[in-house]
Amino acid sequence: VEHIAAHPPIDNKHKRRVLVADDHPVNQKLVCWLLNGMGVEAHVASDGLLATQMFESGDFDLILMDINMPELNGFEATQKIREMERNRTRVLMFDRIPIVGMTAQMDCAANTSYEQHGIDDFLTFPVERSNLKSKVDMWIDHARNHPRPAIDTGLVLEMTQGDRAAMVKMLGVFVQMMARQIGSLHNGLITDAQSEIHSVVEGIIYV
């Protein structure tokens, strides 16, 4: 048992980064051990507030979010992260990180209302390797091979208060603006104009 704990089975895959938000030391060690055995780089946040801070400063492919945590619970932390994403990207959807909730309550995991909090999926405790691996594969590997649409049309429709004609017009303006930005970026790359490149990239990121 000690040998297995010290040397978990390794899957030789591309390194992925997962944020494990859980306040229970045993759960932290178990989930991280399982992730490491899959070739995944695991980072731990011991409460919901720290999870939001680590998300803001880190670059993760997936968040495993315990629902019952101090400071901010899993729902509150997820909602804060989604708010941070909206403030960061607005119309563009490149930065929406998948969040998988973790709970010991089966009825909570079966309740689809968790989607209203911004949580994409659920795992139940105790976490089993096969279940964890399926979530990692689905939400990281599948997402990489099947990228989300670049524009959040639902958000644009919300911004136009349900007016589809206005949404189409706004998207037309957006596409024209992006075409100009890409043209400016191309010129900046050709002439090696670092200030112009930085300005264009910053404008695209914060659309």
Side-chain angles (χ1 to χ4, degrees), residues 21-23 28 45-53 69-72 77:
D22 196 314
D23 64 313
Q28 292 174 1
S46 56
D47 61 62
L49 180 60
L50 183 57
T52 63
Q53 294 170 345
M69 289 187 294
E71 299 297 336
L72 294 175

Side-chain angles (χ1 to χ4, degrees), residues 178-194:
M178 290 301 294
R180 289 195 297 270
Q181 295 278 50
I182 292 172
S184 297
L185 180 60
H186 181 259
N187 292 335
L189 290 172
I190 292 176
T191 60
D192 195 28
Q194 295 297 322

Side-chain angles (χ1 to χ4, degrees), residues 1-10 20 25-40 42 44 127-129 132:
V1 174
E2 291 180 356
H3 175 78
I4 294 175
H7 304 281
I10 300 296
V20 180
V26 174
N27 290 338
Q28 292 174 1
K29 291 184 180 299
L30 173 62
V31 174
C32 288
W33 177 75
L34 291 172
L35 289 172
N36 292 158
M38 301 172 199
V40 176
V44 174
V127 175
E128 297 181 356
R129 185 182 189 278
L132 179 60

Side-chain angles (χ1 to χ4, degrees), residues 17 19 51 57-59 66 75 89 129 144 173-174 182 188 200:
R17 301 182 78 242
L19 175 59
S57 61
D59 180 20
D66 182 21
F75 289 131
T89 60
R129 185 182 189 278
R144 287 178 175 177
V173 173
F174 174 77
I182 292 172
V200 172

Side-chain angles (χ1 to χ4, degrees), residues 77-155:
T78 297
Q79 289 177 319
K80 186 171 179 62
I81 288 171
R82 295 304 184 212
E83 181 181 351
M84 292 161 64
E85 289 175 331
R86 287 193 296 270
N87 291 337
R88 179 189 301 172
T89 60
R90 295 303 295 166
V91 174
L92 295 181
M93 293 175 62
F94 299 128
D95 284 349
R96 191 182 189 282
I97 189 169
I99 299 178
V100 175
M102 298 189 295
T103 179
Q105 301 174 358
M106 293 295 292
D107 57 338
C108 181
N111 188 349
T112 56
S113 66
Y114 62 76
E115 295 177 353
Q116 299 174 1
H117 297 276
I119 292 178
D120 300 295
D121 204 347
F122 256 101
L123 274 170
T124 55
F125 291 121
V127 175
E128 297 181 356
R129 185 182 189 278
S130 59
N131 292 336
L132 179 60
K133 186 176 186 304
S134 69
K135 303 299 183 184
V136 169
D137 290 344
M138 178 171 68
W139 289 108
I140 298 181
D141 298 337
H142 180 77
R144 287 178 175 177
N145 295 328
H146 302 81
R148 296 162 55 87
I151 298 177
D152 187 348
T153 54
L155 177 58

